[in-house]
Amino acid sequence: MPNSPSDAPRPAGDPGPADGPRRIKVQRRGPILVEGPVEVELEDGTTVSSDRFRVALCTCRRSRRYPWCDTSHRARSSGTGEGRAGRE
């Protein structure tokens, strides 16, 4: 849980509570961007982690790499010759 203390020491350069809050960017039609590194607890209780400086969390559940966003939320071309105007 985000507000639970951790027994494990943090690696050097890993921002902790003393370094201020994590920045999270919410976008209307896209993923939630979180400044990393992060740990994400899934519904089944498993935990996945990323040490990247910024991660994109899927909100549409279409991602094949859930909980990480793979841009599946973007409209796909139907092959009818529509250009960018037909996309979200």
Side-chain angles (χ1 to χ4, degrees):
M1 291 230 242
N3 293 327
S4 299
S6 175
D7 293 334
R10 294 186 180 273
D14 182 15
D19 296 328
R22 296 265 187 224
R23 181 175 305 265
I24 298 174
K25 184 177 180 182
V26 179
Q27 301 174 346
R28 178 179 275 268
R29 292 187 178 185
I32 294 176
L33 300 177
V34 181
E35 289 185 2
V38 299
E39 282 188 354
V40 178
E41 184 175 336
L42 303 175
E43 290 176 280
D44 64 1
T46 59
T47 302
V48 294
S49 60
S50 173
D51 61 356
R52 296 178 58 108
F53 71 95
R54 184 175 298 133
V55 296
L57 298 176
C58 176
T59 58
C60 70
R61 294 188 169 259
R62 293 181 205 159
S63 175
R64 291 185 179 151
R65 299 181 59 223
Y66 187 82
W68 317 120
C69 178
D70 67 0
T71 68
S72 293
H73 60 275
R74 295 181 182 165
R76 301 291 184 212
S77 174
S78 62
T80 60
E82 285 184 306
R84 291 198 57 85
R87 296 185 180 181
E88 284 185 42

